[in-house]
């Protein structure tokens, strides 16, 4: 099982760092592709990503998503998921509400400091980094990973 984690300049570092550690914890292959500018280890460049090999896509927040839409390969990856919001609901930071609406989605308004995530089918969304732990728990469930503790 593999997941793509897109990243680049102006990323919200915490929203990138936690998902990078999640596959490591669960022993899941991950591809982390990033433009130069952050001291995170890259595992693959955008141009080398084969979309049909992945079960998940993580797009962390910050200003990164706004700037990276000018990179054609990033657009190809994101457009492969195009239409994912049409007729669905999701949460995001308030400033991205218009993108959700433009994509045909319904914006779910949570306080940025809440511990709320919104799950709509195979889409897990959250308003901001304070909820990253809850978001990761729900993303793990979608990947079909079961975490058990022995007594």
């Amino acid at each position: 099982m593999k997941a793509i984690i897109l990243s680049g300049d102006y990323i919200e570092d915490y929203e990138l760092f936690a998902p990078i550690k999640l596959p490591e914890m669960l022993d899941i292959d991950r591809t982390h592709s990033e433009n130069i500018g952050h001291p995170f280890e890259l595992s693959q460049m955008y141009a080398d990503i084969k979309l049909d090999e992945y079960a998940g896509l993580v797009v962390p927040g910050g200003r990164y998503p706004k700037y990276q839409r000018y990179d054609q390969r990033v657009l190809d990856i994101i457009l492969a998921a195009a239409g994912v919001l049409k007729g669905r609901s999701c949460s995001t930071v308030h400033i991205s509400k218009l993108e959700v609406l433009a994509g045909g989605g319904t914006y779910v308004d949570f306080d940025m400091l809440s511990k709320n995530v919104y799950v709509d089918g195979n889409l897990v969304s959250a308003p901001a980094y304070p909820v990253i732990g809850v978001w990761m728990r729900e993303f793990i469930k979608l990947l079909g990973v079961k975490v058990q503790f022995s007594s």
Side-chain angles (χ1 to χ4, degrees), residues 13-137:
D13 288 351
Y14 188 69
E15 289 185 24
L16 173 62
F17 185 72
I20 283 175
K21 293 303 181 184
L22 179 65
E24 182 180 301
M25 177 186 83
L26 298 172
D27 197 25
I28 296 172
D29 288 337
R30 67 149 172 96
T31 292
H32 167 228
S33 186
E34 172 183 22
N35 288 340
I36 297 170
H38 293 280
F40 291 105
E41 178 185 334
L42 299 180
S43 61
Q44 198 165 358
M45 299 304 292
Y46 293 140
D48 301 325
I49 294 173
K50 294 180 177 92
L51 297 178
D52 59 343
E53 296 178 358
Y54 295 90
L57 171 65
V58 177
V59 183
R63 292 176 294 170
Y64 161 77
K66 303 247 186 248
Y67 292 117
Q68 292 306 308
R69 63 178 142 198
Y70 298 106
D71 182 309
Q72 185 59 51
R73 185 58 182 144
V74 173
L75 281 177
D76 292 344
I77 292 167
I78 293 174
L79 288 177
V84 74
L85 295 180
K86 189 172 186 173
R88 299 174 80 184
S89 299
C90 77
S91 181
T92 183
V93 294
H94 299 289
I95 198 165
S96 296
K97 176 181 179 178
L98 293 178
E99 280 90 344
V100 172
L101 298 175
T106 300
Y107 174 71
V108 177
D109 189 12
F110 290 135
D111 181 271
M112 282 185 46
L113 300 177
S114 73
K115 297 293 184 199
N116 295 313
V117 299
Y118 195 84
V119 180
D120 187 345
N122 65 351
L123 176 65
V124 181
S125 59
Y129 71 88
V131 73
I132 196 75
V134 179
W135 177 89
M136 289 190 304
R137 181 183 66 220

